[in-house]
C-alpha cells in the first residue's frame, strides 16, 4: 500500500505538469502550485527528486531557469494507459450498467461514480463520453430534494444479472458434475497464513457456505425480512454484493471509504470494517497507507503472490508506473552516464573517421609538405618539373634533358649564378 500511496501523489504531479501549456512547469512555481495538491512547503521538490525515471529537471537553454517535465518513459506509460482506456471502454460501459443494477432503485449519485472512476476504468470525461453517449443505457437527471446529479439505468438487462461467483460455480459444475452440488451457495475461501481455525469455527463456516441467499441483482423488496433466517440471508447477500462490486473493478480492489459511498444504495451494513473482518477468507483488508487511516479491500481469490491472476491491459499499464516508481535513482544516474559515454564515444569515432579520410584522400598534399621540409633546392626542382609537365601537354617520349626548355621559370634564386633564358634561346636549343 505504500507504493499505492506514492502512485496517487505521482499521478497528481503528472496531471499538474500535463495541464501546463508546454507540459513543463517552472521549478519556482512548483512549490506554490503543489500546495493545492496537499503538499507542504519545500516538499514538492524533494518528492520529484526521488523519482528521476518519471520527472526530469533541466535548464532552459535561453532563460537559464530550471524546469520540470516528464521523462520519455513516463510519456510512453501515459500513452499506453490511454490506449488501454480506449480499448476497454465497451467493458467499462458494461461495468457501469451492472453497478447501477446492483442498487435497489437502479440509480447512484454521479459524484460517487466520479470518485471511483479510476477503479472502474472510466475516463475523466465519462459524463459525456459514456453516459450521454449511450442514452439507451443511462439517464442523467437532477434530484429535486438534494439537488445532486444521479445516474439511472434505463432498463435492467437479465443477461447481465449474473455474478462473477456464479460464473465460477458454473465452471466447477461443468468440470466436476454432481460432486459440486455442495458449492451451490458457497464462496472461494482462502484464509491467510497463520490463521488458526478451530473445530467449531470450521463447523460454522461449513454451515454458512451452504446457506441460501438472494442474488445481488435480485429485487428483495417483496420479501419479509423480519425473520432470523431472512437476516442471515441478507447478511450473505451483502457479502455477495461486495464480492461483485470488487469483481467489477479493474484491479479487483477498492478502498473502504469508496465502498461506503454505495452503502445506502446497495443495503450494506453500517460497520463495514467489522463486517469484512468476519470474512477474512474472502476479503483482505490492508491498513498500510496514510498512517493506517487508508483501508483497501482486496478480493483474495483474484490475487496470487501479490499479482492479479487474470490481468488486463489497463492493469498492466498501471503496473509499469509502479515499476518506474520502484526503480532506484542510481539506475537513472547510470543511464545518464551511459548516454554521455555513448556521445563521447561517437565523437571519438567521428574524429578517427575524419583522420582516416584525411590520410587516405589527402596524402599527396602531405607528401608535398614533407618534400618542402627537405630543402629549398628540391622544392624548386619539383615545381619546375610540375610546370614543365603541364606545359608539354603530356608528351612523354621527349628526352629528360630538356627540362629547362619548358618555359620561363618563376623560381629564380637571386644569389645563384644562373641566368634565365629567353624565348629565342629556347627556340635555338630546340632546333
Amino acid at each position: 500500500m505504500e507504493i499505492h500511496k506514492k502512485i496517487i501523489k505521482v499521478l497528481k504531479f503528472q496531471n499538474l505538469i500535463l495541464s501546463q501549456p508546454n507540459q513543463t512547469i517552472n521549478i519556482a512555481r512548483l512549490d506554490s502550485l503543489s500546495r493545492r495538491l496537499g503538499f507542504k512547503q519545500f516538499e514538492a521538490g524533494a518528492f520529484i527528486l526521488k523519482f528521476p525515471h518519471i520527472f526530469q529537471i533541466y535548464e532552459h537553454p535561453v532563460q537559464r531557469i530550471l524546469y520540470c517535465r516528464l521523462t520519455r518513459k513516463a510519456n510512453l506509460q501515459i500513452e499506453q494507459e490511454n490506449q488501454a482506456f480506449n480499448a476497454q471502454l465497451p467493458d467499462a460501459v458494461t461495468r457501469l450498467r451492472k453497478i447501477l443494477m446492483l442498487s435497489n432503485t437502479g440509480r447512484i449519485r454521479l459524484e460517487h461514480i466520479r470518485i471511483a472512476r479510476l477503479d472502474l476504468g472510466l475516463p475523466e470525461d465519462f459524463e459525456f463520453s459514456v453516459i450521454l453517449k449511450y442514452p439507451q443505457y443511462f439517464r442523467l437527471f437532477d434530484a429535486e430534494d438534494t439537488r445532486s446529479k444521479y445516474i439511472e439505468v434505463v432498463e435492467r438487462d437479465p443477461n447481465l444479472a449474473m455474478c462473477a461467483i456464479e460464473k465460477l460455480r458454473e465452471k466447477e459444475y461443468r468440470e466436476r458434475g454432481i460432486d459440486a452440488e455442495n458449492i451451490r451457495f458457497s464462496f472461494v475461501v482462502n484464509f491467510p497464513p497463520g490463521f488458526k481455525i478451530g473445530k467449531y469455527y470450521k463447523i460454522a463456516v461449513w454451515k454458512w457456505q451452504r446457506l441460501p441467499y438472494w442474488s445481488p441483482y435480485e429485487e428483495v423488496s417483496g420479501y419479509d425480512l423480519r425473520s432470523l433466517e431472512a437476516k442471515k440471508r441478507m447478511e450473505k447477500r451483502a457479502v455477495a454484493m461486495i464480492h461483485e462490486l470488487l469483481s467489477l473493478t479493474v484491479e479487483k480492489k477498492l478502498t473502504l471509504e469508496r465502498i461506503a459511498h454505495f452503502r445506502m444504495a446497495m443495503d450494506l451494513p453500517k460497520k463495514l470494517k467489522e463486517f469484512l473482518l468476519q470474512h477474512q477468507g474472502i476479503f483482505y483488508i490492508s491498513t498500510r497507507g496514510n498512517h493506517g487511516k487508508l483501508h483497501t479491500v482486496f478480493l483474495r481469490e483474484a490475487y496470487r503472490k501479490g499479482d492479479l491472476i487474470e490481468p488486463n491491459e489497463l492493469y498492466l499499464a498501471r503496473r509499469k508506473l509502479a515499476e518506474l516508481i520502484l526503480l532506484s535513482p542510481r539506475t537513472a544516474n547510470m543511464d545518464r552516464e551511459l548516454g554521455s559515454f555513448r556521445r563521447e564515444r561517437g565523437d571519438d569515432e567521428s574524429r578517427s573517421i575524419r583522420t582516416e579520410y584525411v590520410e587516405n584522400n589527402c596524402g599527396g598534399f602531405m607528401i608535398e609538405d614533407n618534400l618542402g621540409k627537405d630543402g629549398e633546392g628540391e622544392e624548386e626542382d619539383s615545381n619546375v618539373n610540375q610546370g614543365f609537365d603541364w606545359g608539354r601537354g603530356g608528351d612523354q617520349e621527349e628526352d629528360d634533358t630538356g627540362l629547362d626548355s619548358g618555359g620561363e621559370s618563376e623560381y629564380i634564386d637571386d644569389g645563384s649564378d644562373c641566368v634565365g633564358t629567353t624565348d629565342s634561346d629556347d627556340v635555338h636549343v630546340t632546333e
Side-chain angles (χ1 to χ4, degrees), residues 220-282:
V220 295
S221 58
Y223 295 101
D224 186 8
L225 306 177
R226 293 175 297 179
S227 63
L228 181 61
E229 185 72 16
K231 291 181 180 179
K232 290 182 179 180
R233 290 190 177 190
M234 287 297 295
E235 179 184 351
K236 192 170 184 179
R237 183 177 182 269
V239 174
M241 185 78 72
I242 299 176
H243 185 284
E244 181 66 11
L245 182 61
L246 295 178
S247 300
L248 293 175
T249 58
V250 176
E251 302 183 20
K252 314 303 178 187
K253 66 176 182 179
L254 198 62
T255 60
L256 188 62
E257 290 75 11
R258 293 176 182 175
I259 296 177
H261 290 312
F262 305 104
R263 185 180 63 83
M264 296 296 294
M266 299 181 182
D267 286 335
L268 299 179
K270 294 182 179 180
K271 299 181 180 180
L272 278 175
K273 185 179 178 181
E274 289 77 3
F275 176 75
L276 293 174
L277 287 176
Q278 296 176 4
H279 306 279
Q280 299 186 34
I282 304 174

Side-chain angles (χ1 to χ4, degrees), residues 350-366:
S350 61
R351 292 194 194 98
S352 63
I353 291 174
R354 288 197 296 268
T355 304
E356 293 177 359
Y357 177 80
V358 170
E359 292 177 356
N360 296 333
N361 299 308
C362 305
F365 297 101
M366 297 177 65

Side-chain angles (χ1 to χ4, degrees), residues 94-297:
T94 304
R95 285 195 293 266
L96 183 58
R97 293 177 62 188
K98 298 188 73 171
I99 288 177
L100 293 176
M101 290 173 59
L102 288 175
S103 63
N104 298 329
T105 58
R107 61 182 66 175
I108 296 177
R109 287 185 60 179
L110 178 64
E111 189 63 26
H112 295 167
I113 300 295
R114 189 186 303 278
I115 293 174
R117 68 170 187 86
L118 291 177
D119 300 298
L120 301 177
L122 295 172
E124 187 176 359
D125 58 340
F126 74 96
E127 183 177 351
F128 303 96
S129 62
V130 175
I131 298 175
L132 298 180
K133 187 179 178 181
Y134 299 95
Q136 66 273 22
Y137 299 144
F138 312 106
R139 188 171 70 92
L140 189 64
F141 66 96
D142 296 333
E144 297 179 357
D145 50 351
T146 60
R147 295 183 180 180
S148 300
K149 288 186 177 182
Y150 281 81
I151 310 174
E152 186 179 20
V153 62
V154 175
E155 184 180 0
R156 293 178 179 269
D157 190 357
N159 297 325
L160 299 179
M162 187 173 184
C163 300
I165 189 64
E166 295 176 0
K167 295 180 181 179
L168 184 61
R169 293 170 189 157
E170 183 180 354
K171 182 180 177 181
E172 290 291 329
Y173 274 125
R174 293 178 178 179
E175 292 179 357
R176 297 172 55 184
I178 196 172
D179 296 334
E181 183 66 24
N182 294 329
I183 65 171
R184 183 179 179 183
F185 301 104
S186 63
F187 289 82
V188 179
V189 178
N190 298 318
F191 290 103
F195 186 83
K196 296 181 179 180
I197 304 175
K199 176 181 177 181
Y200 297 100
Y201 187 78
K202 286 183 179 181
I203 296 174
V205 171
W206 184 86
K207 290 182 178 180
W208 185 85
Q209 288 279 53
R210 284 153 182 80
L211 178 68
Y213 69 96
W214 295 294
S215 173
Y217 295 101
E218 186 178 356
E219 183 65 34
V220 295
S221 58
Y223 295 101
D224 186 8
L225 306 177
R226 293 175 297 179
S227 63
L228 181 61
E229 185 72 16
K231 291 181 180 179
K232 290 182 179 180
R233 290 190 177 190
M234 287 297 295
E235 179 184 351
K236 192 170 184 179
R237 183 177 182 269
V239 174
M241 185 78 72
I242 299 176
H243 185 284
E244 181 66 11
L245 182 61
L246 295 178
S247 300
L248 293 175
T249 58
V250 176
E251 302 183 20
K252 314 303 178 187
K253 66 176 182 179
L254 198 62
T255 60
L256 188 62
E257 290 75 11
R258 293 176 182 175
I259 296 177
H261 290 312
F262 305 104
R263 185 180 63 83
M264 296 296 294
M266 299 181 182
D267 286 335
L268 299 179
K270 294 182 179 180
K271 299 181 180 180
L272 278 175
K273 185 179 178 181
E274 289 77 3
F275 176 75
L276 293 174
L277 287 176
Q278 296 176 4
H279 306 279
Q280 299 186 34
I282 304 174
F283 310 108
Y284 168 72
I285 302 178
S286 175
T287 58
R288 297 182 61 185
N290 198 14
H291 305 287
K293 298 179 182 179
L294 181 64
H295 301 81
T296 306
V297 184

Side-chain angles (χ1 to χ4, degrees), residues 251-253 298-304 306-309:
E251 302 183 20
K252 314 303 178 187
K253 66 176 182 179
F298 292 81
L299 190 60
R300 281 189 177 273
E301 64 188 64
Y303 281 84
R304 180 179 298 169
D307 295 327
L308 273 179
I309 300 178

